[in-house]
Amino acid sequence: MAIIGGRRAFAAYATTISVRATAAFSVYPSLSPGATGPAVVRPLGQTTVFPHQRTIASNFAMSSTSSDADTKVDIASNISLVRQRMEDAMSSNDRPAGSVRLVAVSKTKPLELLQAAYESGQRYFGENYAQELMAKSTEMPDDVSWHFIGPLQSNKAAPLVKTVGLDKLACIETVSTLKLSAKLNRAVETLNEDTEEKKKLGIYLQVNTSGEESKSGLTPGGEVSDLAKQITEECAWLSIDGLMTIGAPGDYSCFDSLVQCREEVATVLGKEPKDLELSMGMSGDFEVAIAKGATSVRVGSTIFGERDYSNLKK
């Protein structure tokens, strides 16, 4: 499916795709301050695409087209299964139902699969590449909440914030430097200059709980608390809503480390730990993460199938 004119294609797609829609599903509401519940689905209309968005979208279209494997993925069944596993994990660990958000990680996946997930009730999507998120955000319905979960270069901060907008860009989960924070803060401040309703951008502090050189993030301990304090003092348009980690596969102590970091950051910010989210757990370990206290899990391949990076152009 071509990216440009995606809304019109979406309408046609919705009438032809064979998806086993689940009769009853729960849309996990945002746990961020100010959210009052699930987003209201608005009618799909024709998208206005500006010149710079055409360039972004066309580049993305060339690098993320449907493959035979993609078309065979039963998105509705996969999402239903993941949600059931989440509910079971919450129940067995005395967590309230609906207390953990499912972020569907759709990086490198074609728009058709995101649309199928949307039709199955999914509203939170995670993307790793700024260009890809900017392209998809102009084609998906406006009530989708986007989480950016990949490395973000400081020079991409302003275009990302401006293109996606504060109504749809729910969170940047990978903040670990004051430089990036300042760029994001300035972008939000600029965007707010033209609106009556001023909004902040939610961020998570990324922590490298495994200590692996291949992973980004702050070192657990004082480094996390210090940055939280600096951002609070110097970046008025950013809201520290939680912490995020990737962790090492099979090393569940990484989850415990993030919980401890939350305690320390909460003290610095004068908040209760429960007021800060924990984004941890992916396809292979999200149930363990829920048992350890995760409030947001990032699940990709279990929903969308394995990824093919061979044609990706970042």
Side-chain angles (χ1 to χ4, degrees), residues 191-205:
L191 202 60
N192 276 321
E193 290 174 353
D194 299 323
T195 60
E196 292 185 6
E197 184 182 359
K198 310 300 183 184
K199 295 183 177 181
K200 291 186 177 186
L201 173 64
I203 64 169
Y204 295 165
L205 302 182

Side-chain angles (χ1 to χ4, degrees), residues 101-109 114 122-130 132-133 136 144-150 168-171 173 279 296-300 303-304 307:
R101 178 192 303 107
L102 171 61
V103 174
V105 179
S106 48
K107 64 178 180 178
T108 77
K109 291 300 179 178
L114 279 73
Q122 184 62 29
R123 295 296 180 270
Y124 296 95
F125 291 85
E127 291 289 341
N128 287 59
Y129 308 115
E132 188 174 353
L133 173 51
K136 287 177 175 176
V144 167
S145 292
W146 298 95
H147 284 232
F148 186 80
I149 60 174
K168 295 188 290 185
L169 185 57
C171 184
E173 296 202 13
S279 175
S296 186
V297 295
R298 310 179 303 275
V299 180
I303 295 174
F304 296 107
R307 295 184 176 86

Side-chain angles (χ1 to χ4, degrees), residues 49-94:
V49 182
F50 297 98
H52 76 283
Q53 294 172 331
R54 288 195 183 95
T55 301
I56 293 169
S58 60
N59 288 342
F60 170 67
M62 290 188 293
S63 64
S64 186
T65 54
S66 299
S67 66
D68 290 340
D70 287 334
T71 59
K72 296 177 182 178
V73 177
D74 190 339
I75 299 296
S77 290
N78 290 348
I79 286 181
S80 179
L81 178 60
V82 169
R83 287 185 178 144
Q84 185 58 59
R85 290 170 60 185
M86 290 175 64
E87 290 171 9
D88 292 344
M90 284 181 270
S91 175
S92 62
N93 289 281
D94 297 321

Side-chain angles (χ1 to χ4, degrees), residues 75-267:
I75 299 296
S77 290
N78 290 348
I79 286 181
S80 179
L81 178 60
V82 169
R83 287 185 178 144
Q84 185 58 59
R85 290 170 60 185
M86 290 175 64
E87 290 171 9
D88 292 344
M90 284 181 270
S91 175
S92 62
N93 289 281
D94 297 321
R95 302 280 304 275
S99 61
V100 182
R101 178 192 303 107
L102 171 61
V103 174
V105 179
S106 48
K107 64 178 180 178
T108 77
K109 291 300 179 178
L111 204 60
E112 291 95 330
L113 297 192
L114 279 73
Q115 292 162 348
Y118 181 92
E119 288 296 298
S120 299
Q122 184 62 29
R123 295 296 180 270
Y124 296 95
F125 291 85
E127 291 289 341
N128 287 59
Y129 308 115
Q131 182 171 316
E132 188 174 353
L133 173 51
M134 288 187 280
K136 287 177 175 176
S137 69
T138 64
E139 302 306 317
M140 290 292 285
D142 288 341
D143 63 321
V144 167
S145 292
W146 298 95
H147 284 232
F148 186 80
I149 60 174
L152 181 61
Q153 296 175 325
S154 58
N155 64 347
K156 297 287 183 66
L160 181 62
V161 171
K162 181 178 180 180
T163 302
V164 182
L166 298 176
D167 289 332
K168 295 188 290 185
L169 185 57
C171 184
I172 305 294
E173 296 202 13
T174 49
V175 175
S176 60
T177 67
L178 187 60
K179 178 182 178 181
L180 176 58
S181 302
K183 291 285 188 178
L184 289 169
N185 186 71
R186 178 55 184 159
V188 176
E189 182 179 24
T190 300
L191 202 60
N192 276 321
E193 290 174 353
D194 299 323
T195 60
E196 292 185 6
E197 184 182 359
K198 310 300 183 184
K199 295 183 177 181
K200 291 186 177 186
L201 173 64
I203 64 169
Y204 295 165
L205 302 182
Q206 182 176 2
V207 184
N208 184 358
T209 54
S210 66
E212 297 171 279
E213 292 185 3
S214 60
K215 291 185 171 68
S216 301
L218 299 156
T219 301
E223 193 170 289
V224 183
S225 300
D226 289 346
L227 181 60
K229 187 172 185 294
Q230 284 181 299
I231 292 174
T232 301
E233 293 173 347
E234 300 179 29
C235 301
W237 295 106
L238 302 184
S239 173
I240 301 176
D241 292 339
L243 295 86
M244 174 269 212
T245 196
I246 297 175
D251 184 0
Y252 302 134
S253 68
C254 291
F255 298 151
D256 297 322
S257 178
L258 195 68
V259 172
Q260 178 59 39
C261 287
R262 179 173 68 169
E263 297 279 342
E264 297 165 0
V265 171
T267 299

